[in-house]
Amino acid sequence: MLYRKFGKTNEMVSTLGFGCMRLPILGEGDPTKIDEDKAIKLIRHAIDEGVNYIDTAYPYHGTGMERGGASEPLVGKALKDGYRKKVKIATKLPSWLIRTREDMDKYLNEQLQRLNTKTIDFYLVHTIDRTTWPKLKEAGIDEFLNQAIKDGRIKHAGFSFHDKLDLFKEIVDYYDWSFCQIQYNYLDENYQAGTEGLKYAANKGLGVTIMEPLRGGKLVNVPDDVKDIFDQAEVKRTPAGWAFRWILNHPEVSVVLSGMNEMEQVSENIKIASEAEANSLTEKEIELIEKVKGIFKEKIKVNCTACEYCMPCPQGVNIPRNFSCYNDYYMFGKSDIYNWLKPQQRASNCIECGKCEKHCPQGISIREELKNVKGLFE
């Protein structure tokens, strides 16, 4: 296993982190029923092979976002028998449930009990966005983090992020964070924090954890024309291997999370991470990935950058999300995310008022394209 310095913390973390959001479950449908024996074997095997970054969060393996899920208690069980001292635990304050300063202490104390630990090594403020950020500041997030570090309940403070680059920079500059967590992969260089945010945080001394390296699994089962490009390489790798290697080629990246639920996934990812030094891809390999990105971009039907200037829609249509689902279908041959949209957010709710088109910097014929989305999915 290879290790990298985790920003200003001076901790050394494995380049592969075990994400505990998609652990194996018993049967189908109920995420709270984790296959504990299998999950614990997976986590402990990864630790035995050198993984020392274990990532979980308050709602993981739950039935909603309002109460704690089954992931944190499972991690607590997996780290018994001497495994706790071998790893760094990362978990997250549920920002959407915070109303007061007291709420912060309440959830942290509950998480310490659920994880069966006296201290959390890497504590993140979960999924900060433009809605939660003002509330967190008003409730005293900086004072809470300072106190939690001072009294030893947490060692290092960070945040995970799901919003625009300008807000990301504002948050980085607001507090003396030790690390952050962002979505990043070879198709999302300019999505949310993106490459610019990655470098901005690293230059400020923050360790950077990467989530969604495989874009929710979409970069594993790639289209045949993409696979053909990868097959041209002198060094043979799986599509997942190429995706991980591209991310870890960036020296600003500290650790890449993977939600693993099969032993073969653990073994493959450990092998990849044990070979992925920063700046180790050759020029030919980088050119190959650029060709792959080009193929995916050619499949994009709507040139939407998700800038959200078209929002809010008076009818509640989530225009960027509709286009994201539409593009995903043509890029990967499927998209199940459309079914996750609320009825009022779907393309069929558009009344063609045209307000959105007046503000679109890309000049997209939004009304016509939403008809196409409706025709495809509904």
Side-chain angles (χ1 to χ4, degrees):
M1 179 59 60
L2 299 176
Y3 300 86
R4 296 187 184 182
K5 182 181 175 183
F6 200 45
K8 66 180 72 170
T9 70
N10 289 321
E11 304 268 15
M12 298 300 292
V13 294
S14 53
T15 52
L16 174 66
F18 201 117
C20 297
M21 187 175 78
R22 299 184 179 97
L23 296 169
I25 60 175
L26 296 168
E28 297 182 5
D30 188 349
T32 66
K33 294 183 178 179
I34 298 173
D35 186 335
E36 291 195 358
D37 289 342
K38 184 177 180 180
I40 289 172
K41 286 178 181 177
L42 293 176
I43 294 170
R44 289 186 174 182
H45 176 71
I47 296 170
D48 290 339
E49 293 295 319
V51 171
N52 72 352
Y53 192 104
I54 308 297
D55 174 86
T56 183
Y58 188 72
Y60 289 178
H61 279 274
T63 56
M65 302 291 278
E66 302 303 313
R67 63 180 63 185
S71 178
E72 286 181 330
L74 183 282
V75 169
K77 292 179 181 179
L79 298 184
K80 291 181 178 180
D81 304 324
Y83 279 89
R84 174 65 183 95
K85 64 183 181 181
K86 298 179 181 181
V87 302
K88 313 294 181 185
I89 295 177
T91 194
K92 310 173 186 78
L93 176 75
S95 62
W96 56 93
L97 297 178
I98 301 303
R99 301 291 181 270
T100 66
R101 170 70 176 77
E102 290 72 25
D103 287 342
M104 301 177 193
D105 287 307
K106 168 191 168 184
Y107 287 108
L108 172 55
N109 293 337
E110 181 183 345
Q111 289 174 289
L112 288 166
Q113 291 182 340
R114 284 158 56 81
L115 287 161
N116 191 30
T117 188
K118 293 180 179 180
T119 185
I120 293 167
D121 303 280
F122 302 127
Y123 196 59
L124 301 92
V125 183
H126 200 174
T127 190
I128 298 181
D129 58 24
R130 69 187 70 183
T131 301
T132 57
W133 182 232
K135 297 176 183 177
L136 289 165
K137 287 192 293 183
E138 183 177 353
I141 187 66
D142 45 348
E143 192 277 330
F144 161 70
L145 294 172
N146 288 339
Q147 182 60 45
I149 292 172
K150 184 178 179 180
D151 62 34
R153 286 178 294 165
I154 70 175
K155 290 185 179 178
H156 305 289
F159 67 95
S160 67
F161 183 77
H162 292 280
D163 213 301
K164 302 299 180 184
L165 177 63
D166 57 345
L167 179 62
F168 178 77
K169 290 181 176 180
E170 176 189 329
I171 295 168
V172 168
D173 293 340
Y174 178 81
Y175 180 76
D176 186 22
W177 307 99
S178 294
F179 68 107
C180 64
Q181 182 172 309
I182 62 173
Q183 178 170 329
Y184 196 57
N185 55 67
Y186 65 73
L187 289 185
D188 288 329
E189 293 177 274
N190 300 308
Y191 180 69
Q192 295 182 358
T195 301
E196 186 174 342
L198 168 67
K199 294 184 176 182
Y200 188 83
N203 287 336
K204 295 278 186 175
L206 276 66
V208 183
T209 301
I210 301 301
M211 58 183 159
E212 298 295 345
L214 302 178
R215 226 183 193 226
K218 292 186 176 70
L219 299 184
V220 177
N221 300 310
V222 296
D224 289 341
D225 49 358
V226 170
K227 191 174 183 299
D228 290 341
I229 296 295
F230 282 141
D231 288 344
Q232 296 173 14
E234 294 179 11
V235 178
K236 303 305 177 185
R237 299 186 179 102
T238 64
W242 282 108
F244 275 113
R245 287 299 299 266
W246 182 86
I247 295 170
L248 288 168
N249 201 54
H250 294 74
E252 299 88 357
V253 171
S254 308
V255 55
V256 178
L257 298 178
S258 179
M260 300 170 278
N261 51 43
E262 296 291 343
M263 190 62 77
E264 59 193 27
Q265 296 171 355
V266 178
S267 298
E268 179 185 357
N269 289 347
I270 286 173
K271 184 177 185 297
I272 295 167
S274 66
E275 300 171 347
E277 298 275 7
N279 298 316
S280 62
L281 291 180
T282 66
E283 289 187 15
K284 285 186 177 180
E285 289 174 326
I286 292 173
E287 290 174 2
L288 180 145
I289 295 175
E290 288 299 319
K291 289 182 180 179
V292 166
K293 289 192 281 187
I295 290 175
F296 275 121
K297 289 177 181 177
E298 287 176 1
K299 297 175 184 289
I300 292 174
K301 293 293 184 179
V302 183
N303 189 32
C304 173
T305 63
C307 69
E308 297 187 359
Y309 285 121
C310 59
M311 298 289 282
C313 166
Q315 300 302 307
V317 178
N318 189 327
I319 297 168
R321 184 61 65 87
N322 274 269
F323 291 156
S324 176
C325 296
Y326 189 62
N327 286 332
D328 273 3
Y329 180 88
Y330 285 99
M331 290 169 70
F332 303 105
K334 62 180 181 179
S335 178
D336 54 0
I337 302 176
Y338 193 79
N339 295 327
W340 300 356
L341 292 176
K342 297 176 182 178
Q344 68 268 25
Q345 295 178 317
R346 296 178 182 179
S348 55
N349 210 38
C350 172
I351 61 171
E352 299 186 49
C353 68
K355 180 181 177 182
C356 52
E357 294 183 8
K358 297 176 182 178
H359 302 287
C360 178
Q362 309 301 322
I364 297 170
S365 298
I366 295 175
R367 288 171 288 185
E368 288 302 312
E369 294 295 356
L370 285 175
K371 290 180 185 177
N372 295 332
V373 175
K374 176 184 176 181
L376 176 64
F377 291 115
E378 300 186 47

